[in-house]
Amino acid sequence: MRTITIKPKALTHNLYQVKKLAPSAKVLAMVKSNAYGHGVAAVLPALQQADGIGVATLAEALEARQLGWHKTIGLIEGAFTADEWQTAIAQDISCVIHHEPQLMWALDNIPPASSATRVVWLKYNTGMNRLGFDAKGVIDAAAQLHAAGYQLILTTHFANADDSSHPLNALQIQRFNDMLQILKETVSQEVKGSLCNSAGIVNFAEHHHDWVRPGIILYGSSPVVDQSAATLDLQPAMEFCAQIIALQTVSANDAIGYGSLWSAPHDTKTALVSIGYGDGYPRVISTDAYVTVINAADQQRYRCAVLGRVAMDMIVIDASAMPADTALNSKVILWGEAPHVDEVASHAGTISYELLCRLSTRPARIAAH
Ligand SMILES: *Cc1c(COP(=O)(O)O)cnc(C)c1O
């Protein structure tokens, strides 16, 4: 048994937290990369109160339409080809336009007035220096798109929103706000704005504009460096579990697993757990890493350290604090309430986003009620 359980109530709760933080903005719930590994089909029913969803690829957009999502779909890197632009029109997908070729496709193929593709997210490079037009390019593109009948949402993306003290934030905010003002004055008062990802929603409350674009916060991880998920009253939307498949006692000075990384300082009771990097549990993890065992014999929870190297299919945990009647097949929580995926990520030298996205297809996926 290896399971990934998705909790719709947690997703709905986290969406509600976003709405409390950004009460006047519309919400584009980011469900790219298979909803940050949670599964698009599993999360969409819980995100019905969002005004739209955001995806990175056309295939993701088409999947969401197929699953019956009727509201806005924002394609955040836009069409990659003229053909994709045509498909976006056919499926009523709203695209980012971030460079000249996309602008040309849009001007050469104007969707019907009723189409959602008439709304374009015009990307302004305010300092991230990945996608987007420079100031002059944005003003030119906005004028042309407006003249062709498009409605515009000026958008940009923060490079350091997780760290509110980073000096680039103020500069990006100022460039964005100034440009929005220019476009309102010179192109149309109707131009809308979208600036904030999850971290921006938390850190820059005065700059939420018309649309916010929460991602990780919906899944229950903290988007900022100085506040935990618990402090932000977020609930983890995923529980990742396995089970104890064997119990052992390792003799003093004997080592465990590949590389013999961990040697028992004294006779130590251990448990083998049916999880590994083949499931998406990180192979490189610090000695502080732990799991929670729910002993099937007494239903008590035990915090157990991960010992030695994580293998493809197995890990070994320290069961010395567990009672003599510890039951085979007891449930082991890799992440969920405790440890939180944010903790596991920090023990693995990465961020929750990566751990969530790189889960494999091997664990069974279960929807909680
Ligand atoms: C992924 C993404 C988001 C969401 O980011 P989080 O940090 O997960 O909130 C928002 N906007 C854009 C353009 C993105 O690519």
Side-chain angles (χ1 to χ4, degrees):
M1 181 202 71
R2 320 157 119 84
T3 56
I4 292 169
T5 306
I6 303 304
K7 304 188 166 174
K9 281 188 187 136
L11 288 158
T12 303
H13 168 86
N14 298 334
L15 175 58
Y16 176 72
Q17 296 303 102
V18 168
K19 286 174 173 272
K20 275 210 306 203
L21 288 164
S24 54
K26 289 187 177 180
V27 175
L28 192 78
M30 301 306 293
V31 299
K32 60 191 177 184
S33 196
N34 202 26
Y36 291 51
H38 292 65
V40 174
V43 306
L44 286 185
L47 298 177
Q48 293 300 314
Q49 296 307 312
D51 300 284
I53 55 172
V55 295
T57 70
L58 186 61
E60 291 175 336
L62 299 180
E63 183 188 6
R65 276 282 180 255
Q66 216 134 47
L67 287 166
W69 183 265
H70 294 301
K71 292 193 253 185
T72 293
I73 298 181
L75 186 57
I76 58 165
E77 295 171 5
F80 297 169
T81 63
D83 280 353
E84 283 200 4
W85 174 256
Q86 298 284 11
T87 306
I89 294 175
Q91 296 289 329
D92 273 326
I93 292 157
S94 287
C95 296
V96 160
I97 292 184
H98 63 76
H99 63 17
E100 212 52 49
Q102 290 176 336
L103 177 61
M104 291 305 128
W105 304 331
L107 296 174
D108 289 346
N109 300 280
I110 298 171
S114 60
S115 169
T117 312
R118 277 283 188 119
V119 176
V120 302
W121 301 68
L122 183 58
K123 185 101 170 197
Y124 178 31
N125 173 21
T126 54
M128 173 75 117
N129 291 311
R130 298 190 313 186
L131 303 180
F133 291 95
D134 63 12
K136 180 176 180 309
V138 155
I139 294 170
D140 289 351
Q144 292 181 73
L145 289 164
H146 177 69
Y150 288 97
Q151 294 140 274
L152 303 178
I153 302 169
L154 183 70
T155 188
T156 195
H157 196 46
F158 282 114
N160 303 281
D162 57 325
D163 173 8
S164 62
S165 68
H166 196 288
L168 190 60
N169 291 316
L171 190 59
Q172 288 196 272
I173 290 169
Q174 192 195 337
R175 286 174 175 157
F176 182 83
N177 291 347
D178 288 352
M179 181 58 70
L180 190 56
Q181 199 52 40
I182 291 172
L183 296 186
K184 280 183 191 283
E185 282 165 13
T186 65
V187 176
S188 164
Q189 281 296 328
E190 295 306 306
V191 177
K192 305 280 190 258
S194 175
L195 176 58
C196 291
N197 58 354
S198 299
I201 292 166
V202 172
N203 279 337
F204 307 118
E206 318 85 81
H207 303 286
H208 287 154
H209 291 283
D210 301 284
W211 283 87
V212 291
R213 307 186 308 271
I216 198 69
I217 196 171
L218 295 174
Y219 305 99
S221 277
S222 172
V224 294
V225 292
D226 56 348
Q227 290 182 81
S228 70
T231 312
L232 293 166
D233 189 12
L234 303 173
Q235 297 175 3
M238 179 189 291
E239 189 175 69
F240 184 28
C241 292
Q243 64 187 149
I244 290 178
I245 57 168
L247 290 152
Q248 305 274 6
T249 298
V250 180
S251 305
N253 301 318
D254 278 359
I256 286 176
Y258 291 122
S260 301
L261 289 189
W262 185 87
S263 312
H266 40 72
D267 291 3
T268 305
K269 192 161 90 176
T270 62
L272 276 79
V273 179
S274 59
I275 207 74
Y277 62 80
D279 303 287
Y281 192 77
R283 177 172 177 276
V284 177
I285 195 141
S286 80
T287 52
D288 297 329
Y290 71 96
V291 300
T292 299
V293 178
I294 304 176
N295 181 15
D298 60 10
Q299 293 306 315
Q300 295 299 303
R301 289 174 182 248
Y302 299 89
R303 177 183 165 131
C304 300
V306 177
L307 302 177
R309 182 156 276 167
V310 172
M312 187 185 294
D313 312 308
M314 250 180 290
I315 60 173
V316 180
I317 61 172
D318 183 349
S320 36
M322 298 204 57
D325 71 347
T326 296
L328 205 60
N329 298 330
S330 288
K331 177 171 159 175
V332 178
I333 302 170
L334 290 325
W335 62 68
E337 294 285 343
H340 193 283
V341 66
D342 290 346
E343 282 177 89
V344 183
S346 83
H347 292 146
T350 184
I351 53 176
S352 61
Y353 300 67
E354 188 192 10
L355 294 188
L356 296 169
C357 286
R358 75 182 194 188
L359 288 163
S360 81
T361 53
R362 183 161 67 180
R365 289 184 173 258
I366 298 171
H369 305 292

